[in-house]
Amino acid sequence: MTAWLLRRFLQMLLVIFGVVTLAFVFAYIVPANPARMVAGPQASPAAVASIAHQLGLDRSVWSQYVSFLGRILHGNLGVSFALQGRTVAGEIWLALPYTAVLAFGGILWEIVIGIPAGIIAAYRPRSVVDRFATFGALLGLSAPPFWLGLMLIYFLAYKVSWFPLNGVGHPLIWYMILPSFTLGVGGAAFYSRMVRTTVRQVLRSPFIEFARLKGMPERTILFRHVLRHALTPVVTMLGMDLGYFLGGVLIIESIFGIPGVGQLAYSSISTLDVPMITGTVLVAAVFMVFMSFVVDVAYTFIDPRVRLNVGK
Amino acid sequence: MPTDHVELALLNDAVVVVDNLSVAFPSRSGSGEVIRSISFSVKAGQRVGLVGESGSGKSLTARAIMQLIPAPGKISAGEIHVGDDLTLATVASAKKWRGTSVAMITQDPLSSLNPLVRIGVQICEMLRHHRNASRADARRRAVELLNAVGIPNPKRTMRQFPSVLSGGMRQRVALAIAISCNPRLLIADEPTTALDVTIQAQVLDLLEKMSQEHNSAVLLISHDLGVVANFCEEILVMYSGKIVESGPTQDILDGPLHPYTRALLTSVPSMTEELPARLSSIAGSPPAGGVDVVGCAFAPRCSLAQAICSEINPELRQLDDPFHDVACHAAGDALWPSVRSQ
């Protein structure tokens, strides 16, 4: 088990190393000249060349790669080209709390709506609740987030001022309710369908019949015997969702004017701010890889059969 | 009259009385009856076998007793009474007796235990819920139970998950769970079908031992006449949702009255005589479940069928032995060949 954990951890580091390398390659092969971007369109060739030298762009690929790796290892993601004098790490650090609250909020909506809806629908197939949940899921899955976000702003923030229109402020939670809901609705719809399917499947299994034959109350059967099975796939998906959201959710962030990682990445692309692009891509990738590691570990806690297999 | 039956059964020390039970899966094409008006009772400590081929309604009878018929099936007629006080079994009353005075184990031990829940928890939850036992008491009793069913290292097994145990061991655990609240009636639905023959014998021995120690009656459901013959004092033979013959095991083995029972017995390969080139089987197949049958359901496969057999449904009746019932028009006739002379 410990050996497996260690191996899985090293695997994660290896993937991150690969991502770092890819990020470097992409930054290197960008067709535009970063030195020109920094120097500005009016700068003389000499000035551009001098800036290129400052940035180390005139050195060999390998030498650039090695110093890039060295910087990353020290947590130094470089200095932004577009925002003079600001470090990439610093900017990401400023944007991350907003994205994090948004991401966790989105996950929370997914859990709070998706799981109960799926369970109720599974226990009462073809009931009013089931049909309502099916319809709701269809709506939630097919409503584009930008449309849903705008509708929510129009009705709940503009028509009746229950929520702030956009931006961030105090308390942050207040500003994050609509955005996180918009973010979570698609996932909630998806999870309700997934939970419905798995719960229905588990309810048909012989060990549930045996639990009923034992005379166990329905509540115990649900919480002890059904949910564990139904939640295994959900945990996997939720972990991946969280990793994905933490990398920034551009559409939601821009509709609601949230200065998160997504916006940062987007503006860095439009200004061809290469260190910032590399930095945001790296952060997103690391979250994704790290969450998949967390999911794998969590899996071994939920399902003893996985634990047995990894022990071998 | 149901009440008369119950009073009589109480005098006879019965722990389950099934009275004119019919179970139906309603469909547009017919009544969908798959169990057709069966009656029987099991006395305290008695071991009764319910035999029949797959689809004959054996397992469904067990689930009807437990009030757990899979939807859309339902009890369409008749009553079931369970326990020492012969409470009327309903979905509501089941809360009081299911798992306690009436327990049941199922066919597939590999899937009847929850793979994600520790074995200890799966036993303790019975005692915690039904007996209000404290955590410590439940654990102590669970270890005793595992010990009693022959699990080698009970304390360790408590912490384990079902997947590390073999099929035989899992059926032992299931049995430990079923007897944890000292049931008056234990229904065992094909408890050994999924196990290999040596393990089968061990589990049956254990079942017998447990039923004797706790004075629990056992209703053993099996398609295997051999298993039932060794284990049970009485046999009920089911065919197409009806009980076609019932009586003490020895009487049925020595002098089967129903042509179906006779055919079943002759299709059991002998262990002492030389085997024929081809094992005998019963030609044809039983009517599809839920189809309304006029007359005797076995008539199309029966070599003794007469005109009356396809017109009138034979009722269970006695010939000369008061404990041996048969539902067959031909039984006892002049045409009826004596089995003993064969």
Side-chain angles (χ1 to χ4, degrees):
Chain A
M1 181 74 193
T2 326
W4 174 82
L5 259 179
L6 196 71
R7 209 168 60 231
R8 186 65 188 75
F9 185 75
L10 290 176
Q11 235 173 51
M12 177 177 82
L13 291 187
L14 199 70
V15 172
I16 290 177
F17 171 76
V19 169
V20 169
T21 306
L22 272 179
F24 172 80
V25 170
F26 285 131
Y28 189 79
I29 59 171
V30 169
N33 182 356
R36 165 65 67 185
M37 294 295 296
V38 174
Q42 265 82 47
S44 67
V48 172
S50 121
I51 284 171
H53 180 72
Q54 268 177 36
L55 295 173
L57 295 175
D58 53 350
R59 289 184 288 145
S60 78
V61 186
W62 292 111
S63 139
Q64 283 187 51
Y65 178 57
V66 169
S67 60
F68 177 75
L69 280 184
R71 276 198 294 125
I72 300 281
L73 276 179
H74 289 94
N76 179 358
L77 296 174
V79 179
S80 166
F81 289 173
L83 310 159
Q84 290 298 321
R86 310 266 195 90
T87 64
V88 170
E91 289 305 299
I92 292 176
W93 195 244
L94 282 178
L96 198 56
Y98 299 115
T99 299
V101 173
L102 182 58
F104 279 100
I107 295 290
L108 200 68
W109 283 113
E110 290 182 344
I111 295 172
V112 169
I113 303 174
I115 294 175
I119 292 171
I120 296 170
Y123 267 81
R124 304 251 176 280
R126 284 177 288 278
S127 67
V128 180
V129 181
D130 185 23
R131 282 170 208 279
F132 187 76
T134 308
F135 180 71
L138 194 69
L139 215 66
L141 279 173
S142 47
F146 65 85
W147 174 82
L148 184 67
L150 290 175
M151 288 298 119
L152 288 174
I153 291 173
Y154 181 73
F155 286 106
L156 298 182
Y158 178 69
K159 283 281 184 190
V160 291
S161 310
W162 290 354
F163 297 98
L165 273 172
N166 71 350
V168 288
H170 251 321
L172 188 57
I173 298 284
W174 190 239
Y175 287 80
M176 289 298 180
I177 291 178
L178 291 187
S180 60
F181 180 78
T182 313
L183 177 61
V185 128
F190 182 76
Y191 290 122
S192 76
R193 302 316 290 166
M194 194 165 77
V195 168
R196 181 185 185 273
T197 313
T198 43
V199 167
R200 272 180 68 73
Q201 211 175 335
V202 174
L203 283 176
R204 276 196 296 266
S205 59
F207 63 83
I208 294 298
E209 190 196 24
F210 191 56
R212 296 221 164 100
L213 289 169
K214 284 161 77 178
M216 299 314 295
E218 217 35 60
R219 189 170 13 96
T220 312
I221 293 178
L222 171 63
F223 285 108
R224 182 171 295 151
H225 296 287
V226 177
L227 272 193
R228 275 184 180 218
H229 287 262
L231 292 191
T232 339
V234 174
V235 166
T236 316
M237 303 288 302
L238 278 175
M240 300 317 278
D241 269 5
L242 187 62
Y244 172 69
F245 291 168
L246 282 173
V249 267
L250 175 64
I251 293 177
I252 311 279
E253 285 177 13
S254 48
I255 294 170
F256 290 93
I258 297 162
V261 180
Q263 293 251 54
L264 193 62
Y266 176 70
S267 63
S268 69
I269 291 167
S270 48
T271 56
L272 219 78
D273 187 346
V274 176
M276 192 65 89
I277 298 175
T278 318
T280 47
V281 165
L282 267 183
V283 167
V286 166
F287 274 129
M288 201 70 207
V289 175
F290 177 70
M291 282 316 296
S292 82
F293 170 71
V294 170
V295 162
D296 276 6
V297 174
Y299 222 86
T300 61
F301 282 97
I302 302 173
D303 194 336
R305 290 168 297 187
V306 176
R307 212 175 312 163
L308 285 171
N309 286 332
V310 301
K312 277 171 200 157
Chain B
M1 292 299 112
T3 22
D4 292 345
H5 274 255
V6 172
E7 272 167 25
L8 197 65
L10 269 171
L11 290 173
N12 281 332
D13 202 16
V15 289
V16 63
V17 177
V18 173
D19 191 25
N20 276 314
L21 174 76
S22 294
V23 175
F25 285 75
S27 69
R28 274 181 217 125
S29 54
S31 67
E33 273 198 349
V34 284
I35 292 180
R36 305 160 216 260
S37 193
I38 62 171
S39 300
F40 65 90
S41 64
V42 180
K43 291 184 201 120
Q46 196 185 23
R47 294 193 300 277
V48 174
L50 189 56
V51 283
E53 56 202 303
S54 33
S56 60
K58 321 176 292 277
S59 292
L60 200 57
T61 304
R63 276 153 185 85
I65 296 174
M66 299 304 282
Q67 300 292 314
L68 281 172
I69 299 172
K74 59 176 177 32
I75 293 177
S76 53
E79 282 178 359
I80 298 162
H81 297 260
V82 294
D84 276 329
D85 49 357
L86 293 177
T87 330
L88 178 68
T90 61
V91 173
S93 78
K95 282 197 179 69
K96 289 190 212 99
W97 52 262
R98 195 191 287 148
T100 50
S101 62
V102 187
M104 177 164 158
I105 55 174
T106 51
Q107 177 169 358
D108 187 2
L110 294 181
S111 49
S112 62
L113 299 175
N114 189 333
L116 303 190
V117 178
R118 283 173 211 278
I119 284 164
V121 175
Q122 301 196 47
I123 305 173
C124 288
E125 65 177 0
M126 283 288 276
L127 301 156
R128 301 267 292 155
H129 176 68
H130 292 304
R131 291 283 181 262
N132 260 331
S134 71
R135 214 170 278 265
D137 284 347
R139 287 195 62 82
R140 209 170 305 127
R141 176 98 179 97
V143 171
E144 280 172 26
L145 284 163
L146 285 178
N147 209 17
V149 296
I151 299 278
N153 189 343
K155 285 207 169 125
R156 188 161 141 250
T157 307
M158 292 279 285
R159 289 191 305 272
Q160 287 175 323
F161 292 92
S163 48
V164 302
L165 297 184
S166 68
M169 284 295 152
R170 284 189 226 182
Q171 196 60 297
R172 284 166 190 265
V173 172
L175 188 58
I177 291 172
I179 60 170
S180 63
C181 296
N182 292 320
R184 303 297 293 132
L185 172 69
L186 175 64
I187 303 175
D189 183 9
E190 306 259 10
T192 58
T193 305
L195 306 174
D196 63 62
V197 181
T198 38
I199 309 295
Q200 233 179 56
Q202 291 173 11
V203 170
L204 285 173
D205 284 348
L206 182 66
L207 194 61
E208 184 169 359
K209 187 173 144 238
M210 290 294 118
S211 80
Q212 277 165 356
E213 274 173 22
H214 294 85
N215 194 30
S216 305
V218 177
L219 180 63
L220 177 72
I221 294 170
S222 180
H223 66 278
D224 188 338
L225 204 55
V227 166
V228 171
N230 283 322
F231 187 82
C232 298
E233 298 147 4
E234 286 213 15
I235 293 183
L236 306 163
V237 182
M238 257 185 116
Y239 185 80
S240 191
K242 280 184 62 107
I243 292 177
V244 293
E245 182 162 3
S246 70
T249 304
Q250 211 51 51
D251 292 3
I252 288 189
L253 294 183
D254 291 348
L257 294 176
H258 198 281
Y260 176 63
T261 319
R262 276 190 50 202
L264 271 185
L265 282 169
T266 43
S267 53
V268 176
S270 165
M271 295 300 278
T272 49
E273 288 155 41
E274 204 172 314
L275 290 178
R278 233 183 120 84
L279 294 174
S280 75
S281 62
I282 308 172
S285 51
V291 175
D292 296 323
V293 179
V294 181
C296 173
F298 189 63
R301 301 169 81 182
C302 182
S303 57
L304 299 167
Q306 308 154 3
I308 187 177
C309 296
S310 49
E311 284 159 18
I312 297 169
N313 193 354
E315 296 294 323
L316 266 184
R317 64 195 168 101
Q318 290 159 9
L319 296 182
D320 29 70
D321 183 347
F323 296 107
H324 193 167
D325 291 357
V326 65
C328 175
H329 295 298
D333 274 10
L335 283 168
W336 183 251
S338 164
V339 183
R340 287 188 187 84
S341 66
Q342 277 186 342

